[in-house]
Amino acid sequence: MKYNSELFYNVLINNYQYEEVNFSFCRALKISSMDAFRYVVFSNSGYLDLSQIENRLIIRKDYFRVFNQAEQESIQHGLFEGRNCIFKATPNLFFEKYPKILKGDKFIVFIEYNTKLKIGEPQYYPLLRNLHSRIEAEGLDPFDFIITLIPSTNNPKDLESFFEFCIVEKYRRNGFLTDSQIPFYYGVGTPDAAAYSNITINNEIFRYLNIVGATTIDLMCLRYQKLSSTPILVDDSYVFEVKTGSVDGSQIKKYKEMNIFNKAYEVIPHKNNVSDYSGLINYDDNGNEKIHESDLFDTSNRSRYYTWLSVYIKCLLVTNFTNHEFANFKKRKNINDTESLISILKKMTFKEIIDEIRGDNYAKNR
């Protein structure tokens, strides 16, 4: 299998039904602004913007860090400014700084570039400048174009984040809460992706908001979610290990041994043989996804893990507040630092937090 733009276009068209658009200057995939934001964050792609250091506005998922490890409640610099309990990097803050993120449809473009030449500027810079000029010549806004880079020397490890996006998007659409690069246990590693579904998540978040599923990014953007049909309830937790530079995803055995996930999958597009320790998600040369099912595994520690996960989710939910709304919430609840924030959130249900977020203006935005 060759990792190139043709494969990536086919993966998104064949499995996720994104609409193909052929401009005079490039091939692209059309998606909504919120779908685009989710894609940018999880796939490590960026909005075309020559004023940025990398000629793209890249919004990395790590900006939205809360905890470093599972079952640990010390808030890290990321969403919050440490113990000060002030928002540092939330989706809302990005939307305020870059309002174009939410304006109109966006277009995904895959660009292959040569990585052999190491002298001077990165080899994709001239390609982006040329594309920028051609977009402007057509009277379009370059910021509406999202660039995913594909190195032509085929260092596939650089492409793993694209397939992490595919996993979180696939299971989001299937009614799960999904995340990538999840906080996990010290010494065990960092799973590339996970998908969760249980009665509390479904009833108090998805059914209450009338949405099918969500990524962790969606939980911070409730005002912008599309209403949908009620999801089918399943009680499952899946873990995924993504590899594009090898066929060895055996790290996933360590995640299984924590007795949380009832299914585990290697996500290795070019791997053909299913390992005996997990299921496999791979792709044929035309980008069609194939799922080789996982066995069922022990979940005796899931309840304890979910207790911590609920705190993580609640921290994400409160970032739907504006700075002014958050200040009022902290004043009403007598919250002075992140420790007191967590203490209060533990006492609240998901529904109660969502109702706080809704306020008087929430219904108007629905």
Side-chain angles (χ1 to χ4, degrees), residues 173-340:
R173 294 185 182 190
N174 288 340
F176 286 76
L177 170 64
T178 61
D179 197 10
S180 73
Q181 297 298 314
I182 67 170
F184 212 53
Y185 297 94
Y186 179 77
V188 177
T190 303
D192 290 318
Y196 313 101
S197 179
N198 67 6
I199 293 174
T200 303
I201 290 173
N202 276 269
N203 287 345
E204 292 202 5
I205 299 179
F206 300 155
R207 292 180 188 274
Y208 196 49
L209 292 167
N210 198 19
I211 59 176
V212 169
T215 68
T216 48
I217 297 302
D218 295 290
L219 293 184
M220 297 183 279
C221 303
L222 295 187
R223 289 182 170 93
Y224 310 101
Q225 298 309 309
K226 293 180 180 178
L227 300 180
S228 190
S229 57
T230 302
I232 298 173
L233 175 63
V234 293
D235 187 10
D236 284 326
S237 294
Y238 305 158
V239 67
F240 306 87
E241 180 72 4
V242 180
K243 294 291 181 187
T244 51
S246 74
V247 293
D248 181 13
S250 59
Q251 172 71 20
I252 205 167
K253 291 190 283 187
K254 292 186 177 181
Y255 311 147
K256 286 167 44 184
E257 290 168 359
M258 301 309 295
N259 299 333
I260 293 166
F261 304 100
N262 58 293
K263 290 187 179 182
Y265 297 89
E266 292 179 317
V267 182
I268 306 179
H270 58 281
K271 184 172 182 174
N272 295 316
N273 299 320
V274 183
S275 300
D276 59 5
Y277 48 76
S278 73
L280 173 67
I281 298 176
N282 61 2
Y283 299 82
D284 65 22
D285 290 337
N286 294 316
N288 296 302
E289 180 186 88
K290 297 188 242 180
I291 301 178
H292 309 268
E293 276 300 337
S294 166
D295 292 334
L296 294 176
F297 305 111
D298 175 40
T299 59
S300 55
N301 289 331
R302 178 184 291 177
S303 177
R304 188 181 72 196
Y305 175 82
Y306 268 26
T307 298
W308 169 83
L309 182 67
S310 70
V311 179
Y312 178 46
I313 293 171
K314 290 172 182 179
C315 289
L316 300 176
L317 287 173
V318 297
T319 64
N320 284 278
F321 286 129
T322 64
N323 281 332
H324 178 69
E325 291 167 343
F326 192 42
N328 287 338
F329 174 76
K330 289 187 292 183
K331 184 176 181 179
R332 290 197 310 273
K333 301 292 185 181
N334 195 27
I335 295 170
N336 301 308
D337 53 27
T338 53
E339 288 184 6
S340 55

Side-chain angles (χ1 to χ4, degrees), residues 96-115:
E96 290 173 11
K97 186 174 182 179
Y98 304 100
K100 287 183 179 180
I101 289 175
L102 294 176
K103 291 184 178 178
D105 293 325
K106 307 301 178 190
F107 302 93
I108 298 172
V109 178
F110 296 103
I111 291 183
E112 298 178 38
Y113 72 100
N114 190 339
T115 60

Side-chain angles (χ1 to χ4, degrees), residues 113-135:
Y113 72 100
N114 190 339
T115 60
K116 290 182 180 179
L117 299 175
K118 301 296 184 182
I119 300 174
E121 66 183 9
Q123 298 305 304
Y124 58 83
Y125 275 25
L127 301 177
L128 297 185
R129 288 196 292 266
N130 179 60
L131 177 61
H132 189 279
S133 296
R134 297 183 71 180
I135 292 171

